Amino acid sequence: LVKLDQETYAIPLTAIIETTSLKQDVILQAHREKVFDFRGQLVPLISLNQVYGLPHVEADAYSVVVVRSGEKLAGLMVSELIGQQEIVMKPLGSYLEGIRAISGATILGDGQVALIIDSNALLRK
């Protein structure tokens, strides 16, 4: 589970390679995209706040979830890492059909609804 702004989102554990914190000075620019060095490989950074139209917050360091889809890797920049939790995915049907890279939703233990991020869709271009 991660936070974007004040909202909680879930990323399937099967897509996650690792989580990390990146300082602003290790974020590079390549072909007008933000990238970072991940084990000797330049990996693109995707701001989930930007993807979902949330305000971007400048910080000295960012929480990043490194995900994989096939051979592609990406770092998903999030506001906060919450932790791992077992959830049950509920399909959304046509309710949120037009929202990019959302595969479903879940109801958390506190009753809050969290959208589930489809990292495979984010890595497809």
Side-chain angles (χ1 to χ4, degrees):
L1 296 176
V2 298
K3 277 224 184 259
L4 298 179
D5 202 20
Q6 298 300 314
E7 299 294 322
T8 302
Y9 290 77
I11 301 171
L13 196 57
T14 56
I16 297 174
I17 302 297
E18 72 179 63
T19 60
T20 188
S21 178
L22 289 182
K23 292 186 177 177
Q24 183 70 35
D25 61 352
V26 300
I27 298 173
L28 309 168
Q29 290 280 346
H31 303 289
R32 289 182 260 158
E33 287 188 30
K34 289 183 178 183
V35 297
F36 71 104
D37 183 358
F38 180 71
R39 300 180 186 163
Q41 179 180 355
L42 286 181
V43 173
L45 276 171
I46 299 171
S47 168
L48 291 180
N49 281 28
Q50 184 178 3
V51 170
Y52 298 119
L54 301 170
H56 175 71
V57 178
E58 286 295 325
D60 293 333
Y62 296 98
S63 297
V64 175
V65 180
V66 181
V67 294
R68 173 187 303 258
S69 176
E71 293 300 313
K72 291 184 179 181
L73 295 176
L76 306 180
M77 294 170 51
V78 299
S79 302
E80 181 185 339
L81 300 170
I82 297 174
Q84 187 175 330
Q85 182 176 328
E86 200 167 310
I87 60 172
V88 176
M89 182 176 148
K90 309 270 189 212
L92 295 174
S94 61
Y95 292 111
L96 298 175
E97 199 172 84
I99 296 181
R100 178 176 175 226
I102 295 293
S103 60
T106 189
I107 300 173
L108 303 175
D110 63 1
Q112 183 181 10
V113 174
L115 296 177
I116 300 171
I117 295 171
D118 182 355
S119 59
N120 291 330
L122 285 173
L123 273 62
R124 273 187 244 125
K125 284 196 175 182

